[in-house]
């Protein structure tokens, strides 16, 4: 009887402690792409360190999508209804690895989105570019 009571007490302690144990894996996403983040607990609040680098869309209490907005590094924290951290991790947003080219004309640049053909990208107006430096 005593062993049963101890086992039940241990299971109860484990069950109540699990939401307090935060996930902390990092996340990588490309600019203008998304990454799914599955949580072990129910999210109540989401905090993004720098919303100019990444944005978060809440699908349901256990599913978030992180969107890359601009290249850089930021952090995301997710809290449950009691204010406990259920996720905290670094988000690294990098430039897209395919489907884009930059065309340089003197010091001005045009960003092109490429599939079967290339067209000017909608990011052109919002992404400042600097001409490459050439050494004499």
């Amino acid at each position: 009887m005593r062993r049963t009571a101890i086992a039940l007490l241990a299971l109860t302690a484990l069950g109540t402690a699990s939401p307090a144990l935060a996930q902390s894996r990092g996340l990588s996403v490309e600019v203008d792409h998304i990454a799914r983040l599955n949580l072990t607990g129910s999210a109540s609040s989401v905090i993004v360190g720098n919303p100019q680098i990444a944005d978060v869309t809440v699908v349901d209490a256990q599913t978030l999508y992180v969107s890359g907005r601009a290249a850089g590094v930021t952090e995301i924290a997710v809290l449950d209804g009691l204010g406990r951290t259920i996720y905290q991790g670094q988000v690294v947003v990098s430039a897209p690895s395919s489907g884009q080219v930059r065309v340089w004309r003197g010091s001005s640049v045009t960003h092109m989105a490429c599939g079967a053909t290339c067209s000017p990208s909608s990011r052109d107006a919002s992404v400042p570019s600097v001409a490459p430096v050439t050494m004499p």
Side-chain angles (χ1 to χ4, degrees), residues 66-90:
V66 179
S67 305
R69 298 188 72 195
V73 178
T74 189
E75 190 169 15
I76 292 176
V78 181
L79 309 176
D80 66 9
L82 298 174
R84 297 177 295 192
T85 303
I86 58 174
Y87 175 85
Q88 185 168 354
Q90 188 177 64

Side-chain angles (χ1 to χ4, degrees), residues 79-112:
L79 309 176
D80 66 9
L82 298 174
R84 297 177 295 192
T85 303
I86 58 174
Y87 175 85
Q88 185 168 354
Q90 188 177 64
V91 178
V92 178
V93 180
S94 58
S97 59
S98 65
Q100 292 189 352
V101 296
R102 286 184 268 178
V103 178
W104 292 90
R105 291 187 183 107
S107 63
S108 68
V109 64
T110 302
H111 295 264
M112 306 289 281

Side-chain angles (χ1 to χ4, degrees), residues 17-87:
S18 63
L21 300 174
Q23 294 173 284
S24 62
R25 62 185 166 95
L27 188 63
S28 294
V29 64
E30 293 180 354
V31 172
D32 292 335
H33 288 81
I34 58 173
R36 182 179 178 147
L37 181 60
N38 294 316
L39 303 170
T40 57
S42 294
S44 180
S45 299
V46 178
I47 301 134
V48 180
N50 186 343
Q52 293 179 340
I53 293 175
D55 191 19
V56 175
T57 300
V58 179
V59 176
D60 59 42
Q62 284 86 30
T63 309
L64 308 175
Y65 278 90
V66 179
S67 305
R69 298 188 72 195
V73 178
T74 189
E75 190 169 15
I76 292 176
V78 181
L79 309 176
D80 66 9
L82 298 174
R84 297 177 295 192
T85 303
I86 58 174
Y87 175 85

